[in-house]
Every structure is written in C-alpha cells, then in structure tokens.
Amino acid sequence: MDFLTDRAKTLTPSLTLSIDSRAKALLAEGGDICGFGAGEPDFDTPEHIKAAAMAAIEAGFTKYTPSSGIPELRQAIVDKLAAENGIQVETAQVIVSNGAKQSCLNAILATIGEGDEVIIPAPYWLSYPEMVRIAGGTPVPVNTTEESNWKMTPEQFSDAMTPRTKMVIINTPGNPTGSVYSKEELEALVAVAAEEDILILSDEIYEKLVYNDANHVSVASINEEARRLTITVNGFSKAYSMTGWRLGYLAAPTEVAKAIDSLQSHMTSNPCSFVQKGGIAALRGDQQPVADMREELNLRRQYMVKRLQNIPRLRVVEPLGAFYVLANISQFGLSSTNFADKLLSKVGVAVVPGIAFGDDRTVRLSYATGMDVIKKGLDRFEEFCCQL
Ligand SMILES: Cc1ncc(COP(=O)(O)O)c(C=O)c1O
C-alpha cells in the first residue's frame, strides 16, 4: 500500500536544518567543529522580552487567543509598520503566526493553486519552492549572478513571466545572498509586477540587519500599486533572537488576510499566548539590543568578507544584509555538496552547500557565531581551499 500523496513525495527535508544538526551532533561527540551553518543569531533573547513572557505565564495568560493574534500585538505591528516601514494597514490586515515561515506558507496557500507559477530569484531561501509545491503551484527559479550582486533584474523578471505567473517572491535583505535591494531596484520590479497584476510576497525577516550605507526598503511602501499587490512577511526570530519562540506575522490586502485568518484557524489556531506578550515587549520596548547585535554582526561580517576575498580562486561579493556570506566555489571544480562534505570531514568546518538554495556554484557561511570560531574556522577554510 502506498500511503503517501504525490505532494508529500515531492518534498525534500530542509537541508540547512539537517547540516546544522549533523555539525551539532559531531560537536556533541566531542568533535572539533567550526560551525558556519547556523541560520539563527547566537545572541540570547533580550531580558525584557523574556520577562514579559514569564509575567504572562505567571498571570495565567495561558489559554487560546484569537487565532490571528491578540489585538494588542496586532496593533503594535500596525504601529511598527507605519512608523518604521511606511506601510499603512488596519489591524484586520495583520495575521500573527508561528514564525515567518508559517506566514510565508499561509500567504502561498491562500493565493497559489494548481498550475500557478511563482517566480523566485535564485539563490533563494530553500523553503520557498517547497511551499509553492505544497500549494500545488510551480516554482520558477530565476538565476541571478554576482554581476547584479545576486539580485533579480527587471529584465530577468519580465522574461520569466508567463500567463500563469501569479506571484513573485522578493527577500530583502536576502538569505543566502545577504543582498539588499535599493528603492530604485524595487521600484523597477514593482513596475513589472503591476503591469500584469502579479502578487508580491515580500519577506523582510532580516530588515534590521543591514550594514554600511544600505537601507532596508519595504516593497509595500513603494507606491499605491505595491501596496495593493504586496503581502509583507516579517517576524521576531532574527531581529530579537527569538528563533525558538516561533512568532512571525504578515500584513496583506484585506481579502487575502481574511482567507489566511480562516486557514490558520483550522491549522494551528493562535501562536502561543504568552509568546505574543513577548512580541509586544519586543516591538514596544528598548531597541538597543538590536543595535548592539547588529554592530557585533557587522564586525564579524567585515572580518569574514576580508578573509574570504583574499583566498585565491574564491569569489565573494560583499553582502550588505542578514548574517551570511555566499562564496562562489566554482573555480575549485567540485559540486557544492562535495565541497561542503570534504570541508567538514577534512578540516571540521560546516557550511551549507549552495545546491540547497538552487545554486551549485556556491556555499553559504553564516557569521552568527563567535569571533573565535570565525577566526579558527577561516584559517581552516583557507588551508582547505589552498590545498584543493
Ligand atoms: C528568508 C527567511 N524567511 C523566513 C525565515 C523563517 O523565520 P521564522 O523563524 O520566523 O519562521 C527564515 C529563517 O531562516 C529565513 O531565512
């Protein structure tokens, strides 16, 4: 008896999570591993956020809440989007979920069906194509290059469009590229989307982590067309080091938000009640921990980029956002999986092969780890590359 649906059979497990757990298992066995695989900040959740959640538990705030989140949190998100992102929405347009990952899936399930195509600039966050497949749609990757700093150009977007195109996914700052789209670049992409009435899923989870003179621009703030077409996803995992809390949200056009509200009410119901209180403290409270984390991450980024750019045959475009460096390893004549496997087994350094992100020419290094690990790991990485 074949129990699985075609849908379940086509899914592949998250390679980033599996590589991270392999490196963690080797570490637990006493291995001397330098892990550059992490997709989460290595900082603790700020104290005032933890205190708010603990106070909520103490006060017995441990029951079901409205499935789209408590009104105070939705209002805090509305205020944040208006003040920081230039996005004006009503609370009914905001749905709080168990992480930005669920928000992305909710948005896709509500709008994508059999035969619909979704344009995804590659290298991409590996869950996007799988989510599109879960919904019965077809992911359409658009390969970007270093020449455009791993960003999709309006021409590439336009060329990938067919009569079945229903959505484009924009992730700025991007995982795994660290690329940050400028306002002008977004304006050009919005113009292409608006011409054919294409929905835009804008994943802005790394918005707080931008460096040098890069600015984060929210797609929905670009103009009236963008506001009409964009579903903005964001969350607490990366900015507030709350990956394990599972809290994210989206802001969507009213009819889309309404559909997502129903969808979520039958799937997970509300995100954890007291975690939502932590979310309010994160948005309304002291933002200094975010600035401190960004400053520390920036020092590591500068160090890592400089070291990698000095390795012969390795090509590295300076990333201006998130906490990843994407290195082009194509001159070494190995597939990304082969490169990553050898690197781990020979010198104990864990990176994520680019094939996971739809690009076999690259590997991703995360600098969300201590400077001592970064220095040691890069010494080994350099030695490994020089011996290839
Ligand atoms: C681009 C991107 N979007 C969304 C997420 C998911 O975030 P969350 O922990 O809020 O589900 C991640 C996590 O790695 C990510 O890299």
Side-chain angles (χ1 to χ4, degrees):
M1 177 67 149
D2 187 2
F3 292 118
L4 296 180
T5 59
D6 289 345
R7 176 169 300 166
K9 282 182 198 157
T10 61
L11 289 178
T12 47
S14 171
L15 197 59
T16 44
L17 292 183
S18 69
I19 285 176
D20 201 36
S21 47
R22 203 173 128 211
K24 278 180 182 151
L26 287 171
L27 257 179
E29 287 164 16
D32 181 15
I33 304 297
C34 296
F36 291 143
E40 59 183 348
D42 56 315
F43 298 79
D44 198 3
T45 304
E47 287 305 322
H48 67 281
I49 301 175
K50 292 198 229 175
M54 285 190 281
I57 296 180
E58 291 292 343
F61 193 70
T62 54
K63 299 295 196 311
Y64 290 135
T65 75
S67 75
S68 304
I70 52 178
E72 308 92 284
L73 177 55
R74 291 169 89 189
Q75 188 58 51
I77 292 167
V78 166
D79 295 346
K80 180 250 183 256
L81 289 172
E84 294 183 0
N85 304 91
I87 300 174
Q88 321 293 334
V89 285
E90 313 270 324
T91 47
Q93 293 175 259
V94 171
I95 312 285
V96 188
S97 299
N98 299 274
K101 188 176 264 185
Q102 190 188 11
S103 299
C104 288
L105 182 58
N106 278 344
I108 289 170
L109 285 176
T111 58
I112 300 302
E114 291 297 327
D116 289 335
E117 293 180 357
V118 178
I119 293 177
I120 308 174
Y124 44 68
W125 180 46
L126 75 187
S127 291
Y128 300 137
E130 302 299 338
M131 289 174 176
V132 171
R133 285 192 196 101
I134 291 172
T138 306
V140 178
V142 169
N143 294 316
T144 65
T145 62
E146 287 129 309
E147 282 66 52
S148 61
N149 286 352
W150 303 114
K151 289 183 264 191
M152 181 171 71
T153 64
E155 294 75 28
Q156 286 180 308
F157 180 17
S158 195
D159 289 348
M161 203 102 87
T162 76
R164 313 205 90 165
T165 307
K166 181 102 183 265
M167 174 185 274
V168 59
I169 300 181
I170 298 176
N171 173 213
T172 179
N175 173 11
T177 60
S179 305
V180 180
Y181 283 80
S182 69
K183 185 162 185 274
E184 293 69 31
E185 286 165 341
L186 291 175
E187 276 168 357
L189 294 178
V190 164
V192 177
E195 222 167 275
E196 301 294 337
D197 245 11
I198 307 293
L199 282 168
I200 305 170
L201 177 58
S202 180
D203 180 348
E204 305 182 11
I205 187 88
Y206 292 100
E207 68 162 343
K208 300 282 183 187
L209 303 177
V210 287
Y211 313 104
N212 292 0
D213 52 0
N215 275 320
H216 171 70
V217 178
S218 287
V219 177
S221 73
I222 294 282
N223 55 29
E224 182 50 33
E225 289 291 59
R227 197 185 64 76
R228 189 174 65 78
L229 296 169
T230 304
I231 304 171
T232 306
V233 169
N234 208 326
F236 298 81
S237 288
K238 316 290 176 175
Y240 301 101
S241 287
M242 291 171 67
T243 48
W245 294 60
R246 312 309 305 131
L247 195 64
Y249 57 89
L250 59 73
T254 307
E255 57 167 351
V256 177
K258 221 167 148 187
I260 292 172
D261 188 6
S262 302
L263 204 60
Q264 183 161 299
S265 75
H266 294 297
M267 290 200 296
T268 57
S269 298
N270 60 278
C272 174
S273 56
F274 44 87
V275 160
Q276 295 185 61
K277 293 285 190 178
I280 296 171
L283 292 180
R284 299 254 192 238
D286 184 9
Q287 301 298 306
Q288 194 55 42
V290 185
D292 292 346
M293 178 174 72
R294 182 177 50 230
E295 200 172 312
E296 172 63 26
L297 286 171
N298 193 23
L299 293 176
R300 299 176 190 175
R301 179 189 70 95
Q302 287 165 336
Y303 178 81
M304 186 179 262
V305 169
K306 207 164 146 208
R307 289 283 311 264
L308 291 174
Q309 284 181 335
N310 278 329
I311 298 177
R313 293 181 290 159
L314 197 72
R315 291 215 308 267
V316 172
V317 172
E318 182 182 2
L320 294 178
F323 41 68
Y324 309 107
V325 180
L326 195 67
N328 187 327
I329 53 143
S330 57
Q331 308 255 330
F332 294 95
L334 294 176
S335 71
S336 61
T337 317
N338 224 331
F339 185 97
D341 276 347
K342 280 198 162 71
L343 185 68
L344 186 57
S345 59
K346 289 203 165 155
V347 294
V349 174
V351 300
V352 183
I355 191 72
F357 313 111
D359 189 311
D360 209 19
R361 298 165 296 176
T362 56
V363 295
R364 188 193 77 180
L365 293 87
S366 160
Y367 48 89
T369 187
M371 203 58 166
D372 47 340
V373 176
I374 293 179
K375 285 185 173 157
K376 189 158 99 174
L378 287 177
D379 286 346
R380 295 181 187 182
F381 188 93
E382 186 170 355
E383 183 194 316
F384 174 81
C385 289
C386 290
Q387 283 175 1
L388 275 179

